[in-house]
Amino acid sequence: MTTLSDRVREVIDKQTFAFLATVNPDGSPQVSPVWIDRDEDLIVFNTAEGRVKHRNILHDPRVGLSFVDPDNAYRMVAIQGRVVDLDTTDADEHIDWLARKYLGVDTYPNHREDETRVIVRIEPTRVAG
């Protein structure tokens, strides 16, 4: 696993929007904006079961992320990695935590009773920027 530099950690800890690239079953790329978090050197985001990015990760765990420092668009980071964990435990609480970070609200406003949230952890294999 690649260790994240202090500078990359600092950018992730801000209200940084990342673009997640996954691989569709036909091999074409799929890109989605995501809120990000980290667990030490793992990149973390939250999604719902059945969404395209979730289905793609189940098919192929290879992913890419790119993001820029919200305070300086010339500081960019590109990460290649693989999903090493999908976990529904405490995923509702995690999306609420991300909503506090990104929206300043206590509860994620788009909670749906009919969906199961998933915490996705990515192990970086290459970090540039």
Side-chain angles (χ1 to χ4, degrees):
M1 177 168 71
T2 300
T3 302
L4 301 176
S5 70
D6 289 340
R7 185 179 77 76
V8 171
R9 288 175 182 221
E10 175 189 317
V11 175
I12 292 169
D13 291 346
K14 295 178 182 183
Q15 290 178 328
T16 302
F17 290 87
F19 291 89
L20 171 76
T22 62
V23 182
N24 286 314
D26 68 1
S28 63
Q30 188 273 335
V31 178
S32 300
V34 292
W35 292 341
I36 55 173
D37 186 12
R38 65 182 178 84
D39 179 1
E40 299 295 330
D41 286 323
L42 299 177
I43 312 299
V44 181
F45 73 93
N46 192 303
T47 190
E49 286 184 347
R51 292 200 177 152
V52 173
K53 60 183 150 289
H54 179 253
R55 292 192 317 264
N56 285 349
I57 289 165
L58 293 174
H59 176 264
D60 186 337
R62 295 175 300 160
V63 297
L65 286 165
S66 72
F67 48 91
V68 297
D69 185 331
D71 299 321
N72 180 353
Y74 293 100
R75 289 179 67 187
M76 71 80 67
V77 179
I79 296 175
Q80 293 176 354
R82 58 186 289 279
V83 172
V84 294
D85 186 48
L86 295 162
D87 189 4
T88 58
T89 307
D90 298 325
D92 287 334
E93 291 80 2
H94 181 252
I95 195 63
D96 288 340
W97 185 89
L98 287 170
R100 282 190 291 282
K101 176 181 175 179
Y102 283 87
L103 301 175
V105 298
D106 288 334
T107 304
Y108 179 60
N110 299 316
H111 273 290
R112 290 183 31 197
E113 293 294 322
D114 64 336
E115 70 181 8
T116 301
R117 301 300 306 186
V118 181
I119 300 172
V120 181
R121 290 179 177 83
I122 300 167
E123 178 183 299
T125 55
R126 184 171 181 273
V127 178

